[in-house]
Structures are given as structure tokens and as C-alpha cells.
Amino acid sequence: MPASRSGRALAVQPAKAVDATDGIRQHRLAALLVDMVPGARIIRVSQHQPSQTWPSPYTRAYDERGQPIPLNRTQRVAAARWVIRAFPEANWDETRDLDLTSGTLRPAAEACARSDGGR
């Protein structure tokens, strides 16, 4: 152990529980989703499919103009599961948007407020 100026050994600092690969994983996930859904800019993920009352992973995709991109059932479920697993700390009781250009996840209500001019 290195000694300090006083001649005593320095105390061991606890390791921080920060994963240095978190940002890399988010960008890799975004790249995989872009390959899965060409032309998509935003992936909106929720735990509730609109036609069901029980929880079920569900995804909607939007292009850069905010127009919906049609997805088949496999794409909807797989993309939702990937995003939910990549962001386990998020509160999945509310719908979230994944920006595929930056890899950031934000509440969908926040995105709607910005598009409405902050209302």
C-alpha cells in the first residue's frame, strides 16, 4: 500500500458500483433496434398493449417526423423486452421513449409536452 506524507498507509476507498459499459450497451441496443426497424428514430415502450387489460410488453416505432412505423408482433414484443431489460432501473408503470440517435430513455409524457410547446 502506498504511504501518505504522514507515513501512514492510505485507507482503502470502496469501489463505486458504476458500470462503465452502460453507455456502450445503450448505444448497442439502439443500433440493434435501428437494424430491426429501419427508419425508426423513437421506440415507445410500455407494459400494456392497448387492446389488453393485463400487462404485456408493447412497442411502437416513430420516424424522424413522428409518423408511426408499422411493426409486426415479433418486432413489438422483442423490442419491448430488449429495452425493458436494458433499463431495469426505469419505472415501467409509465410509457417510455428510447431515442435511437442518442440511446437515451425518457418518459413519453415528457416527449409529448415538448411537441405540444410545453403544455
Side-chain angles (χ1 to χ4, degrees):
M1 234 187 216
S4 66
R5 290 185 187 183
S6 67
R8 294 190 316 214
L10 297 173
V12 177
Q13 298 295 322
K16 295 191 180 198
V18 175
D19 189 1
T21 60
D22 278 347
I24 296 168
R25 287 181 191 163
Q26 293 166 357
H27 289 290
R28 284 180 30 207
L29 173 63
L32 287 170
L33 290 171
V34 166
D35 287 343
M36 181 191 283
V37 186
R41 168 105 194 282
I42 299 288
I43 297 289
R44 182 165 288 168
V45 179
S46 68
Q47 285 276 7
H48 298 283
Q49 186 173 348
S51 62
Q52 296 177 349
T53 57
W54 58 88
S56 175
Y58 188 73
T59 303
R60 289 168 294 241
Y62 299 95
D63 63 10
E64 67 277 350
R65 295 178 314 199
Q67 300 299 315
I69 296 174
L71 301 174
N72 62 36
R73 183 180 186 280
T74 304
Q75 289 172 317
R76 285 192 311 264
V77 173
R81 287 180 179 165
W82 289 359
V83 174
I84 290 169
R85 288 178 184 159
F87 296 93
E89 72 283 352
N91 176 11
W92 289 105
D93 290 337
E94 61 181 284
T95 303
R96 303 220 171 235
D97 286 347
L98 177 65
D99 186 346
L100 297 181
T101 57
S102 66
T104 57
L105 186 73
R106 65 178 181 265
E110 184 179 305
C112 292
R114 272 194 229 138
S115 67
D116 290 342
R119 288 187 236 164

